[in-house]
Amino acid sequence: MIQRRQFLQSSAAVALGSALSGVHAQAPVTLRFHTFMAPTSNVWTLMLKPWMEKVEKDAGGRIRFEAYPAMQMGGTPPQLYDQARDGVVDIVWTLPGYMPGRFVRGEVFELPFMMSEAGATSRAYWEYIQTQAPDEFKDTKVLALHVHGRGSFHTTQPIRTVSDLKGMKLRAPSRLITRQLSTYGAVPVGMPLPGIPDALSKGTIQGVATAWDVVPSVKVHELTKFSTDFADDVPGFYTGTFVMAMNRSKYESLPPDLKKVIDANSGIETSAQFGTITQSSDAIGRKAVADRGNTIHTISKADAQEFIRLAGPVKEEWVADMNKRGYDGERLLQTAKSLIAKYSKS
């Protein structure tokens, strides 16, 4: 009788342990998502938040996000990538351009007059990094790589020709765009997006180079009076590159089925989707500018030729810089161009 009782107690303990183990295995995984974008921005409301909601749904509730826009977990925008690398947070969305000289091969997509459509260029960017610079983001698990729509000017004084830019202090989002603005005679001022409203209101800068979609989120339309872009038959004046990166150890700690959920919401298709969303959101920013009564000027293909000519040395300098770093700069440039053409056709 005693032996039978001990056997039943032992069996019950094993069963309870197995049940608790099963509950533990099914426990939700919490992922902390951090970015500099405001919670009211188009990027947050139309792209990042829906992405998190889809991952949670696909995971059947076993992945839950703690979302922290506007640098709510501390630090500065240039520190975001390292926060993901070091496990301070689990996933970040940021600009490699906030860390000048660090992700240099991927910079090729920020060169002037390279792209026209953000979805196609985002596909090209993803494939380029996988094939030409697979170690560029080796410290993290990269989930998406994309670009925004065609860059534009938003200023306190009108811009119609290159000469109008001479001496104008403009916010520049990255190293290459800083160099590009310099070729036009402007005075580029580097700063992350959240610094724009204060700089414009204080007169530290007289305008910004940015995408239309982010204009409302940093009140650019309220602090400037003029916007300038290029005609649709002119390649984009510039674009910015973005990375969504995950802490590698956190990814590896996920059970196989949850890894599959992350994988299914990552990669070239997600990158293209992000690019398309950002460019589609340009219409929202453009409407905000128009509704404010600001002047919008479009530079024609003929008038754009001087902008294109003067930006030529930026590409040459980038190629030379890559060569000095031990890469074949011309091959990287031509590869990026061919990938953009490939996906633009498809």
Side-chain angles (χ1 to χ4, degrees), residues 111-126:
L111 287 170
F113 302 103
M114 286 277 288
M115 61 82 70
S116 291
E117 200 279 313
T121 304
S122 296
R123 289 179 187 274
Y125 182 30
W126 176 270

Side-chain angles (χ1 to χ4, degrees), residues 78 81-82 85 94-110 125 128-129 133 135-140 142 145 175-176 241 243 245 318 322 325 327:
Y81 181 81
D82 288 341
R85 181 197 65 186
T94 190
L95 284 83
Y98 281 170
M99 297 155 279
R102 186 166 172 183
F103 305 103
V104 292
R105 281 170 288 172
E107 283 181 331
V108 65
F109 288 89
E110 296 180 356
Y125 182 30
Y128 173 93
I129 291 296
D135 58 335
E136 194 98 304
F137 300 99
K138 65 181 184 299
D139 297 325
T140 62
V142 174
L145 296 161
R175 183 176 79 106
L176 289 185
T241 58
V243 59
W318 184 84
M322 292 304 101
R325 294 173 185 264
Y327 308 116

Side-chain angles (χ1 to χ4, degrees), residues 113 161-163 184 301-312:
F113 302 103
T161 66
V162 171
S163 62
Y184 297 151
K301 185 174 183 179
D303 291 339
Q305 297 312 303
E306 184 68 1
F307 287 88
I308 295 172
R309 184 186 70 80
L310 289 174

